[in-house]
Amino acid sequence: MLKKPVYMDNHATTRVDSRVLDAMLPYFTEKYGNAASRNHSFGWEAEEAVDRARNQIAALIGAKSKEIIFTSGATESDNLAIKGVVEFYKDKGNHVISCVTEHKAVLDSCRALERAGKATVTYLPVDKYGTVDPDAVRRAITDKTVLITIMWANNEIGTIHPIAEIGKIAKEKGIIFHCDAVQAIGKVPVDFEKAGVDLASITAHKIYGPKGIGAIYVRSKGPRVRLTPQMDGGGHERGMRSGTLNVPGIVGLGAACEIAGMEMPEEAQRLIQLRSQLQAGLFERLDEIYVNGHPTERLPGNLNVSFAYVEGESLLMGINDIAVSSGSACTSATLEPSYVIRALGIDDELAHSSIRFGLGRFNTLEEVDYVTDRVSKEVKRLREMSPLYEMAKEGIDLKSVNWKS
Amino acid sequence: MAYSEKVIEHYNNPRNVGSFAKDEPNVGTGVVGAPECGDVMKLQLKIGDDGVIEDARFKTFGCGSAIASSSYVTELVKGKHIDEAITIKNTVIVKELNLPPVKIHCSVLAEDAIKAAIADWRKRRGDNFASGEQPLRAKEA
């Protein structure tokens, strides 16, 4: 029996895996020590748990355990990486290279630095698949460049950037390379050491762990990366991030990383199959639908589709027992659709028509079939109601119409 | 964001969806909005020689509130004289459908659609003057 509502928004967040929760629970009630307490068994027990988690995380991402610094999540990690590097290396330069489709936590950290007069930022464009060109990164480098920040995989369209190529360029030029790897770790193989990534943001809640806990990978050798801390306090985490460690959360992040690493080969295959089934089913039933993002270089669980002539928010309303998300922003004051979809150069109308399906560990084939059926029917119903669909069927080129808005 | 019950009701059971034959002389068509803004409404009014709106049809590309606003408008204008229909304010729609502030533009669009449809009908009537029909332009002036 299919349980509703169906959750298919796993890029937004994920359900905590019961194995992760089981690992965490003792650290709330029995093993509640402060990992910084050095003189009793409660503290030692907590510290051991934190060390174990560091090892579990490091093993998933090609890092050494001491290179893991715990934070409250990816937004904090992004802020710490970008602001921390620019402030620490201010005598070396003040130029940052980023990309237009980055997460808001990255873009807004960059903008904050620009506003404060601490940095100038180049935001590189992407191609029609949402991929940044490594040569464009190379060309954007100046003698003032101190940081490159490019995400591993995009949260809306799932496109995976050529990170190792960018890492190679960064190494060649001696520039620090930060990577928001939130959507990638645990989903696709990630090795920061090999990819030449110097700093990376990760978070637990995208990989079936708890919310409110994340980490930043900080390379310790070749080069040893330094950061100006963004919070003052007890000097925890090698002075980079003060604050009592969230031991249950850290245990959860560690367990989530270990499970994701163990299951990744089979799970990625399973998700690719589910996604192919969803995509094929929608294409079978509907004409004029378009996949946004890269056809192959994309996250296994991601499918972003534009359903021409149907506005995304109204589609979501029609499929209200399915949790997905839309690139439409009919509720925002600007009425502008997703900046990520727009960056692909597709028409705004198609951007308004985009839906992101985020498949995850707990989705089933039965759910995929249900979603395919439900979405197709609703798209058909809304197209019957759509003046644009009618005009298109009459052979009117919508671009030639002089819209009075 | 939660939708009001009335918006959901209109969205699930939209009234008067469809189109009249394009070239019917007694039909006025108003198309407002733009695809890149995420909202396009097409409202068609069938208007008698006496200026009374006999029937209405709509098609809308837009969010649930835009669909509900146009659906409600088709009900609202039916039976009304165009002189009255043209004075319908978006606030009536906002109130009926309990639209939140971010959705007020949907009601404005619906108001514009009424005006555009009536203007189109008047224009067509004017064009038909030569064929012996009562010119309504004189009345406007």
Side-chain angles (χ1 to χ4, degrees), chain A residues 218-258:
Chain A
V218 183
R219 182 183 285 273
S220 62
K221 222 172 115 184
R224 176 181 169 219
V225 177
R226 313 284 299 276
L227 293 171
T228 299
Q230 300 296 304
M231 211 153 44
D232 298 310
H236 306 73
E237 298 297 270
R238 293 164 53 220
M240 287 189 247
R241 204 279 193 175
S242 288
T244 297
L245 291 180
N246 169 4
V247 178
I250 288 167
V251 168
L253 174 56
C257 284
E258 186 173 293

Side-chain angles (χ1 to χ4, degrees), chain A residues 307 310-317 326-328 351-355, chain B residues 61-63:
Chain A
F307 299 91
V310 171
E311 197 272 336
E313 195 186 322
S314 69
L315 180 53
L316 292 194
M317 193 175 165
S326 168
S328 175
H352 278 292
S353 304
S354 72
I355 298 286
Chain B
F61 163 84
C63 65

Side-chain angles (χ1 to χ4, degrees), chain A residues 141-159:
Chain A
I141 293 171
T142 72
D143 55 357
K144 292 275 178 217
T145 307
V146 288
L147 178 71
I148 298 168
T149 173
I150 306 280
M151 68 198 340
W152 198 293
N154 185 271
N155 49 307
E156 286 193 41
I157 53 175
T159 296

Side-chain angles (χ1 to χ4, degrees), chain A residues 19 149 240 304 384:
Chain A
R19 292 168 290 181
T149 173
M240 287 189 247
N304 191 308
E384 285 311 309

Side-chain angles (χ1 to χ4, degrees), chain A residues 309-311 313-314 317-318 330-331 335 348-349 352-353 378 381-382 384-388 390 394 403-405, chain B residues 3 7-8 11-12 14 17 19 22 33-38 40 42 59-64 67 102-103 105:
Chain A
Y309 318 119
V310 171
E311 197 272 336
E313 195 186 322
S314 69
M317 193 175 165
C330 200
T331 49
L335 297 179
D348 276 4
E349 182 249 319
H352 278 292
S353 304
E378 193 58 27
R381 182 181 90 97
L382 289 169
E384 285 311 309
M385 228 189 275
S386 168
L388 304 181
E390 184 181 66
E394 284 168 3
W403 299 101
K404 294 163 281 183
S405 57
Chain B
Y3 294 97
V7 168
I8 293 169
Y11 172 84
N12 287 330
V17 176
S19 300
K22 270 194 298 186
E36 62 266 28
C37 303
V40 176
K42 185 187 83 167
K59 284 201 174 189
T60 289
F61 163 84
C63 65
I67 290 171
V102 290
K103 295 295 186 185
H105 69 275

Side-chain angles (χ1 to χ4, degrees), chain B residues 9 13 16 19-20 47 52 59 73-74 76 85 87 91 105 138:
Chain B
E9 207 278 315
N13 307 293
N16 306 305
S19 300
F20 292 126
I47 301 169
V52 172
K59 284 201 174 189
V73 152
T74 59
L76 191 62
T87 64
T91 47
H105 69 275

